[in-house]
């Protein structure tokens, strides 16, 4: 189970950075002929002295300025769409793959609580994956609970499509939030209790080598048998990772085997505006594909629910509950990814709405799982 997540590592998730010189070839080979999407940097990125991905060459790979209007980005190799099933466990913990860090970049603004980074990993085409799968990361050092043995694998949902951020099938991206512990008495950071893998990843530099395993997971795979299907995606924080991969595949890339014509509806819950992840991409999809993409946010420190309290993602779901249930009645898929603490509130909301509709939620929930409409991965 992942979701840009680190099992046993608390929170973790990312944005883009300037690539190392070793990846200059990847940029030169990017196919720009087909792209309508252009992303503008938020005000905080312009003000900051930090070099954010918006200002890097990686940003240019997605720019409409070098593309024809009303078309999408070319991808390769197309063989990545020929497989009859998802690649699974190509590399295991005892024999991990040594990949290279292409870039690490802060995703969030200065007023966001904590730091979230977008990490691009160059796997050279040797670790193909499908949208919704996860990579495992093995941080260096010994497991403190088992001296003499390496750290256990931490799982992170992949935040890119199978073609990666360079569209060449050679990279994968992770969305990682640093897990930092503050002593409740002194208020000071206690680095001895900080998340091992999340901090390790966020501290990497272009060119650094890391040990990865996988890919793993089938629960969050995007069903593509019906290109007209509805997909309702619910995330908190870095749980946004698999959905970024879905949406790039649906709206950014020119994939002949999957021409999306349905509805993708994204709900994202974070603390405040500066905490929004990949917001520029999502808002651009709304402009380009208003009939196929909807995007709603719940900012707990800025928005109020109908009772005057903090707005959480379950409150936003309740706001649109009638429409959501109608879509589920018609076969929509619904996905949940993020902290497991979000699920009790969401389940309570869905149960209450079901009862108001005269339905038995337990039976409805069982049917959704039986129909393979329910997809959940929390940590």
């Amino acid at each position: 189970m992942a979701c840009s997540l680190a099992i046993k590592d608390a929170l973790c998730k990312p944005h883009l950075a300037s690539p190392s010189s070793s990846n200059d070839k990847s940029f030169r080979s990017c196919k720009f002929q087909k792209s309508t999407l252009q992303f503008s940097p938020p005000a905080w990125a312009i003000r900051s002295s930090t070099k954010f991905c918006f200002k890097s060459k990686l940003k240019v790979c997605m720019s409409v300025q070098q593309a024809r209007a009303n078309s999408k980005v070319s991808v390769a190799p197309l063989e990545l769409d020929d497989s009859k099933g998802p690649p699974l466990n190509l590399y295991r913990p005892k024999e991990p793959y040594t990949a290279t860090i292409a870039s690490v970049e802060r995703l969030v603004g200065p007023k966001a609580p904590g730091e979230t980074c977008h990490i691009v990993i160059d796997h050279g085409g040797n670790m193909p994956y499908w949208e919704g799968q996860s990579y495992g990361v093995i941080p260096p050092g010994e497991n403190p609970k088992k001296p003499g043995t390496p750290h256990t694998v931490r799982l992170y949902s992949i935040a890119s499509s199978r073609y990666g951020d360079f569209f060449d099938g050679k990279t994968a991206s992770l969305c990682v939030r640093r897990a930092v512990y503050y002593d409740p008495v002194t208020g000071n950071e206690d680095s001895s209790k900080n998340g091992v893998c999340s901090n390790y990843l966020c501290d990497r530099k272009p060119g650094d080598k890391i040990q990865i395993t996988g890919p793993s997971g089938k629960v969050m795979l995007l069903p593509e048998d019906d290109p007209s299907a509805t997909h309702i995606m619910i995330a908190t924080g870095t749980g946004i990772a698999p959905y970024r991969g879905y949406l790039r595949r649906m709206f950014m890339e020119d994939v002949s085997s999957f021409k999306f014509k349905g509805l993708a509806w994204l709900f994202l819950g974070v603390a405040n505006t500066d905490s929004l992840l990949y917001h520029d991409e999502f808002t651009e999809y709304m402009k380009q594909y208003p009939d196929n993409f909807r995007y709603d946010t719940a900012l707990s420190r800025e928005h109020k629910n109908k009772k005057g309290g903090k707005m959480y993602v379950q409150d936003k779901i309740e706001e649109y509950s009638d429409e959501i249930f109608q879509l589920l009645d018609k076969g929509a898929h619904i996905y949940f990814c993020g902290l497991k603490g979000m699920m009790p509130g969401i389940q309570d909301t869905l149960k209450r709405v079901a009862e108001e509709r005269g339905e038995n939620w337990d039976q409805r929930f069982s049917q959704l799982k039986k129909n393979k409409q329910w997809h959940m991965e929390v940590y």
Side-chain angles (χ1 to χ4, degrees):
M1 304 208 323
C3 277
S4 285
L5 64 118
I7 288 183
K8 300 182 180 179
D9 193 344
L11 304 178
C12 285
K13 324 274 172 171
H15 206 159
L16 312 174
S18 298
S20 65
S21 59
S22 64
N23 285 310
D24 286 346
K25 183 177 179 180
S26 296
F27 287 108
R28 290 196 298 270
S29 64
C30 276
K31 305 297 185 181
F32 298 107
Q33 305 98 302
K34 297 184 178 182
S35 174
T36 62
L37 301 175
Q38 180 178 12
F39 307 121
S40 300
W44 59 261
I46 297 174
R47 290 195 302 267
S48 174
S49 60
T50 303
K51 189 174 183 182
F52 291 94
C53 83
F54 299 108
K55 302 169 73 175
S56 74
K57 291 181 181 179
L58 186 55
K59 153 68 174 64
V60 178
C61 261
M62 296 184 289
S63 176
V64 69
Q65 296 175 2
Q66 301 184 35
R68 286 197 306 238
N70 300 319
S71 57
K72 297 183 179 181
V73 179
S74 295
V75 296
L78 296 180
E79 288 77 11
L80 292 176
D81 269 276
D82 292 342
S83 176
K84 294 182 179 180
L88 290 169
N89 301 312
L90 301 178
Y91 292 87
R92 298 179 180 275
K94 291 186 177 181
E95 295 183 348
Y97 179 76
T98 300
T100 304
I101 295 293
S103 60
V104 177
E105 199 63 56
R106 182 183 172 98
L107 258 184
V108 295
K111 296 181 181 180
E115 180 180 28
T116 301
C117 296
H118 182 82
I119 301 169
V120 180
I121 299 171
D122 184 349
H123 59 75
N126 296 308
M127 280 193 68
Y129 57 88
W130 281 11
E131 298 74 19
Q133 288 192 298
S134 302
Y135 271 176
V137 178
I138 305 176
E142 293 186 356
N143 185 339
K145 296 182 179 180
K146 296 181 179 180
T149 64
H151 281 290
T152 56
V153 173
R154 272 70 166 182
L155 293 178
Y156 293 86
S157 292
I158 298 171
S160 52
S161 79
R162 67 191 71 184
Y163 293 101
D165 284 359
F166 301 153
F167 313 109
D168 61 2
K170 296 181 179 180
T171 68
S173 299
L174 305 181
C175 181
V176 180
R177 178 173 174 173
R178 287 183 185 272
V180 179
Y181 176 83
Y182 291 91
D183 187 284
V185 177
T186 65
N188 297 324
E189 180 182 339
D190 184 349
S191 59
S192 67
K193 297 182 180 180
N194 286 349
V196 173
C197 198
S198 63
N199 285 276
Y200 165 70
L201 286 171
C202 290
D203 288 337
R204 294 308 88 206
K205 305 297 181 185
D208 285 353
K209 304 297 183 180
I210 65 170
Q211 301 293 307
I212 57 177
T213 66
S216 62
K218 291 184 177 182
V219 174
M220 295 293 286
L221 293 178
L222 179 67
E224 297 188 358
D225 54 324
D226 180 6
S228 298
T230 294
H231 302 273
I232 303 168
M233 300 164 283
I234 299 165
T236 56
T238 53
I240 195 66
Y243 308 143
R244 180 179 184 257
Y246 297 171
L247 295 171
R248 286 172 72 89
R249 186 163 174 82
M250 290 174 178
F251 301 124
M252 183 182 290
E253 300 174 343
D254 185 11
V255 182
S256 59
S257 62
F258 182 54
K259 300 293 186 181
F260 184 66
K261 301 176 182 179
L263 171 66
W265 191 355
L266 174 63
F267 292 88
L268 173 60
V270 292
N272 56 22
T273 300
D274 271 20
S275 302
L276 289 168
L277 305 173
Y278 309 110
H279 185 65
D280 55 330
E281 293 186 25
F282 302 151
T283 53
E284 190 63 30
Y285 297 148
M286 283 200 300
K287 295 177 184 177
Q288 297 287 345
Y289 303 96
D291 296 330
N292 303 98
F293 182 59
R294 294 174 64 173
Y295 175 39
D296 286 277
T297 61
L299 309 182
S300 61
R301 300 187 184 182
E302 297 178 12
H303 297 165
K304 299 293 183 182
N305 60 27
K306 64 181 182 181
K307 296 181 180 179
K310 291 184 177 181
M311 172 71 82
Y312 294 107
V313 69
Q314 62 262 32
D315 299 309
K316 186 61 67 171
I317 292 171
E318 184 174 15
E319 185 178 328
Y320 293 101
S321 59
D322 286 342
E323 190 171 359
I324 289 174
F325 268 73
Q326 290 174 16
L327 291 171
L328 291 174
D329 289 340
K330 297 177 181 178
H333 292 271
I334 189 165
Y335 308 80
F336 303 89
C337 192
L339 292 173
K340 63 182 179 182
M342 76 176 185
M343 290 310 299
I346 291 175
Q347 289 274 27
D348 290 344
T349 297
L350 293 173
K351 181 177 181 179
R352 183 172 61 255
V353 172
E355 291 175 347
E356 291 173 353
R357 288 165 54 94
E359 298 181 28
N360 181 299
W361 170 245
D362 291 336
Q363 293 178 358
R364 181 61 181 272
F365 178 51
S366 178
Q367 191 63 45
L368 288 172
K369 291 196 294 183
K370 182 178 179 180
N371 294 344
K372 298 183 179 181
Q373 294 174 254
W374 184 276
H375 312 263
M376 183 178 73
E377 200 161 63
V378 295
Y379 46 95

